[in-house]
């Protein structure tokens, strides 16, 4: 019998619940989506296909090829052949990425700090592997959190611990207490995974003073902050906050970037940016970069140069800034968000019965709180009877048994008329439940 | 301090030596190659860039797009947008791959058995992860063996055991004895990794009766055969032997394919093919496919659809067979092999002092045995004083301390005049050593 459990799962003392339900949940959602293809889906946080460039296969790689030909003394044939060959494991377009991160994220970095990965997911996995090498090592996360870290940690047998503030408590205060208590139990927190800007799944933003406080705590305890930032450029109200990497003076933040949302997902190009002095040490920084590259060489060998050429070409065409494209995209997504907020306002006119939602300042997601438990059975009922698919927030919970009374609504890849239709259907379902 | 060792390395009883030297070796080779860029390199087993198609970015994806448009009722815009979006984790072009494997490898398979991966390396890693879930589980390999499995096993903390026949002993007989002795020690062999055709690093071929004997043993002991076949289509003398997957009646062989050698490496597209009835069981087969897909979803999410579109386009253009292209490539590589054999014959006219080489019937590599130890120091001497780079066979040894008296010579990506020059230089070095 092929055993499909994690190899060490019985060996270790896990105070956090096993994230295995995540896998079941993904299967369940895929099945529901397949069974009800005509339902309005607020379940998947995909970028809008209407925003994908038309020149991804033509102009973009041509532009990069011209660039590469220049680097090979005008020998276009040689450049083309090299591009199709095995490439450097650490990446081909690190210089262009460094420049883009400087312009778009205020991140001063050099190409040597960057490891180009097969999407941000590979960056998350490599960082978890490289940072958590001892049996007492743990990774801290918000709860609910992104499924990509839960699943990666599950398969790597890395223990996740939730930092869950009590009502009214600041995240950073809870973090500080938890870190202190871990010192007593012998657990070693190696990393804190965060999406400070327009978090998946909640849509929330970490305030600037919280960012600073977290950096201070992590610096003191030598905890790496894994800053995942897929949505930062899609800001709908006011100015963006600086990324944690941009204000990191202690060398704490490993910044993780992706082109899946700003260019397109099929590229599978992302990166990890290691601080120039990790916890103040240049040599620790070099060691970690080397370690990430070595691990990557036995995982995906190198990130497809074709795909790097597409990203590189877009960056060259856009003068190393995705700001112009992201502003266009943000206009589109802001309209969607506004449509969803307006639809919610119309559909749920009475707010006195525990129905609430946030107003996300950016990103793809909104949280809707309900006065009853919303899980699998409720998803099925919505899909079957109302042709609408929300995503239970409990699916993102570490334990699977908290955050039971809310749903994540993705507004990124739904056509605007469907947003109103979908929210109306959801409201019908909710009203039926409240009457019953 | 960031610890860069494997997390469980001290926890387990390893009778096989740690493969950690592999990492040092890779670094060493990269450095030597960088330090002596003008040396004739027989070190790297890359495909020849002269063979890469010119239509990889133009005709091939266009052809696939036409195909995909057909599947979307003629809506080309919709097809293009979907291709740029997130895709199925298991793959997009499984049907075309199944047909290609049927035509080129005699492998009767259906799309549902196939998991498309980011190169064969990801397939190896996923299979190791999924098959080896218990602390007593081990993977059997030939020795010397491919660095990709050694490195993956190292990072996954999977124990490798060498099947090393005594002089004159058959591999299958040694395998049978080893499996029996493992039963006594409590180790559980889960998989046997093999490149039956034109092995990397030795260039050798497993005879047909050995293939059958191995299948028989593995079937009896429920050991999966991981058949890695990057070189099978590059056959230079006579007919190819059937792949082990093609003669597997017991559902033992997980076949691993790659387009890195037949199309180009930058694509990073390969796959794993799970037998329809794994160890005779349809449900075990389905479980393993599901397990591979779930693990992949937290590693690379999905294999870039762009790159799958290039492969799919080439397959459509070539009527789902790479036979024509591979025959052309084989002509090229056969010339290189013949040039190397002729150069060796000329350069080493006296064979009576322990200098020997094999005549590989295909693939990229040849083994040269020498009457003295050839390791790092010797590589440096060759590079520095003779401007030639051979690859010590000991670098592929599990222990790092066996196979010390031979080198791997790759003839795949060296221009023919350089082959003669390089072998002459190597012979000068060897003669100098023998005289000294």
């Amino acid at each position: 019998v092929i055993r499909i459990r994690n190899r060490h799962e019985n060996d270790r003392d896990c105070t956090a619940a096993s994230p295995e339900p995540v896998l079941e949940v993904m299967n369940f959602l895929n099945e529901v989506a397949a069974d009800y293809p005509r339902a309005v889906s607020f379940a998947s946080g995909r970028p809008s296909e209407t925003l994908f460039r038309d020149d991804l296969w033509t102009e973009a790689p041509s532009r990069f090829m011209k660039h590469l030909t220049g680097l090979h003394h005008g020998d276009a044939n040689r450049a083309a052949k090299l591009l199709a060959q095995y490439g450097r494991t650490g990446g081909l377009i690190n210089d262009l990425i460094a420049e883009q991160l400087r312009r778009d994220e205020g991140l001063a970095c050099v190409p040597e700090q960057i490891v180009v990965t097969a999407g941000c997911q590979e960056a998350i996995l490599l960082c978890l592997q490289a940072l958590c090498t001892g049996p007492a090592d743990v990774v801290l996360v918000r709860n609910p959190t992104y499924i990509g870290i839960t699943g990666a940690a599950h398969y790597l047998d890395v223990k996740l611990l939730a930092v869950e503030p009590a009502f009214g408590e600041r995240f950073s205060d809870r973090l500080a207490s938890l870190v202190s208590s871990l010192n007593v139990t012998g657990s070693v927190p190696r990393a804190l995974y965060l999406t400070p800007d327009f978090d998946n799944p909640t849509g929330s933003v970490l305030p600037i003073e919280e960012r600073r406080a977290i950096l201070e705590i992590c610096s003191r305890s030598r905890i790496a902050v894994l800053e995942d930032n897929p949505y930062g450029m899609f800001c709908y109200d006011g100015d963006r906050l600086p990324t944690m990497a941009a204000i990191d003076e202690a060398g704490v933040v490993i910044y993780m970037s992706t082109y899946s949302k700003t260019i397109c997902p099929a590229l599978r190009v992302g990166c990890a940016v290691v601080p120039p002095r990790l916890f103040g040490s240049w040599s620790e920084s070099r060691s970690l970069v080397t370690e990430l590259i070595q691990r990557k060489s036995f995982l995906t060998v190198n990130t497809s140069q074709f795909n790097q050429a597409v990203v590189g070409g877009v960056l060259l065409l856009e003068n190393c800034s995705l700001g112009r494209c992201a502003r266009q995209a943000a206009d589109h997504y802001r309209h969607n968000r506004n449509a969803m907020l307006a639809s919610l306002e119309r559909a749920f006119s009475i707010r006195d019965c525990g129905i609430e939602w946030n107003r996300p300042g950016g990103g793809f997601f909104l949280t809707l709180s309900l006065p009853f438990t919303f899980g699998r059975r409720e998803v099925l009922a919505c899909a079957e009877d109302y042709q609408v698919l929300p995503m239970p927030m409990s699916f993102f919970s570490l334990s699977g048994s908290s955050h039971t009374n809310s749903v994540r609504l993705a507004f990124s890849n739904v056509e605007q008329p469907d947003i109103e239709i979908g929210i109306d259907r959801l409201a019908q379902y909710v009203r039926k439940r409240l009457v019953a």
Side-chain angles (χ1 to χ4, degrees), chain A:
Chain A
V1 178
I2 298 291
R3 285 163 300 152
I4 59 168
R5 62 179 176 77
N6 202 323
R7 56 194 305 225
H8 298 290
E9 70 184 13
N10 297 327
D11 305 355
R12 299 179 64 197
D13 166 38
C14 279
T15 57
S18 160
E20 198 151 23
V22 144
L23 304 176
E24 286 173 50
V25 152
M26 303 272 284
N27 290 344
F28 170 75
L29 275 171
N30 289 337
E31 280 167 25
V32 175
D35 289 348
Y36 301 94
R38 294 181 323 161
V40 173
S41 175
F42 299 130
S44 123
R46 297 176 163 204
S48 171
E49 288 132 28
T50 58
L51 298 166
F52 298 159
R53 305 169 67 102
D54 290 328
D55 62 357
L56 289 174
W57 272 16
T58 48
E59 205 56 26
S62 292
R63 181 64 193 82
F64 184 78
M65 187 60 81
K66 210 172 128 187
H67 170 76
L68 197 65
T69 300
L71 298 178
H72 284 91
H73 315 290
D75 187 344
N77 188 41
R78 180 92 196 111
K81 297 295 187 186
L82 278 180
L83 200 61
Q85 190 53 276
Y86 287 103
R88 287 183 60 232
T89 300
L92 172 70
I93 57 169
N94 307 39
D95 54 342
L96 297 170
I97 291 178
E99 187 58 22
Q100 186 251 320
L101 292 176
R102 195 183 68 74
R103 296 191 185 190
D104 291 338
E105 309 291 353
L107 222 160
C109 65
V110 294
E112 292 70 27
Q113 289 169 248
I114 297 174
V115 180
V116 181
T117 51
C120 185
Q121 184 64 34
E122 193 191 30
I124 292 174
L125 193 101
L126 290 171
C127 288
L128 285 192
Q129 278 190 325
L131 294 170
C132 297
T133 55
D137 293 352
V138 300
V139 170
L140 309 177
V141 292
R142 295 166 89 177
N143 191 28
T145 191
Y146 172 51
I147 276 180
I149 182 111
T150 322
H154 170 67
Y155 279 127
L156 294 174
D157 195 25
V158 165
K159 189 166 126 186
L160 297 183
L161 275 184
V163 185
E164 289 215 83
F167 185 76
E169 189 183 21
R170 292 197 312 173
F171 180 85
S172 58
D173 289 338
R174 182 75 213 118
L175 175 65
S177 322
L178 182 62
V179 169
S180 303
S181 72
L182 287 179
N183 287 342
V184 176
T185 64
S187 288
V188 185
R190 292 286 172 194
L192 167 65
Y193 171 85
L194 282 176
T195 304
D197 288 295
F198 322 123
D199 182 43
N200 176 7
T202 64
S204 67
V205 171
L206 267 181
I208 183 73
E209 60 276 16
E210 276 290 272
R211 296 180 193 220
R212 294 196 199 280
I214 291 166
L215 287 175
E216 171 62 30
I217 295 163
C218 288
S219 166
R220 212 184 313 134
S221 301
R222 299 178 61 84
I223 299 169
V225 173
L226 303 180
E227 182 178 26
D228 192 2
N229 190 19
Y231 311 108
M233 296 190 78
F234 308 121
C235 177
Y236 314 139
D237 306 318
D239 291 331
R240 292 178 60 185
L241 291 179
T243 62
M244 291 181 73
I247 56 171
D248 171 28
E249 287 168 7
V252 166
V253 178
I254 300 172
Y255 185 82
M256 298 188 294
S257 188
T258 174
Y259 295 99
S260 292
K261 311 309 194 278
T262 44
I263 303 181
C264 78
L267 289 170
R268 312 308 310 129
V269 177
C271 70
V273 186
V274 174
R277 292 178 178 274
L278 184 62
F279 304 125
S281 158
W282 184 84
S283 72
E284 281 199 36
S285 173
R286 292 316 305 156
S287 291
L288 182 58
V289 170
T290 304
E291 175 73 5
L292 295 177
I293 290 174
Q294 285 186 338
R295 286 181 182 270
K296 179 176 167 66
S297 72
F298 295 113
L299 215 134
T300 56
V301 183
N302 57 245
T303 307
S304 165
Q305 290 102 265
F306 280 11
N307 297 354
Q308 289 187 73
V310 173
V311 173
V314 170
L315 293 180
L316 289 165
L317 289 167
E318 297 289 336
N319 203 20
C320 283
S321 166
L322 297 175
R324 190 188 64 86
C325 311
R327 276 188 297 276
Q328 254 175 27
D331 286 343
H332 177 90
Y333 293 132
R334 185 189 297 107
H335 272 102
N336 281 8
R337 180 206 59 173
N338 291 347
M340 187 172 274
L341 288 172
S343 301
L344 286 165
E345 202 69 50
R346 264 195 308 274
F348 297 103
S349 49
I350 307 156
R351 286 227 206 166
D352 56 0
C353 54
I355 300 171
E356 288 184 332
W357 55 90
N358 62 342
R359 178 190 167 87
F364 289 7
F365 310 105
L366 175 151
T367 304
L368 174 68
S369 302
L370 296 167
F372 51 82
T373 297
F374 198 104
R376 287 172 185 235
R377 201 176 42 188
E378 290 71 21
V379 172
L380 278 175
C382 278
E384 172 76 33
D385 300 333
Y386 297 89
Q387 296 286 322
V388 60
L389 281 178
M391 182 81 120
M393 194 61 84
S394 59
F395 286 10
F396 302 96
S397 154
L398 274 203
S399 66
S401 60
S402 61
H403 303 274
T404 52
N405 282 32
S406 55
V407 292
R408 184 191 79 171
L409 300 179
F411 50 78
S412 53
N413 195 28
V414 194
E415 302 201 15
Q416 284 185 26
D418 284 343
I419 291 176
E420 189 175 343
I421 294 168
I423 294 294
D424 280 347
R425 290 175 178 176
L426 181 59
Q428 283 172 41
Y429 168 78
V430 171
R431 274 195 295 271
K432 174 112 183 288
R433 280 294 306 272
L434 292 179
V435 169

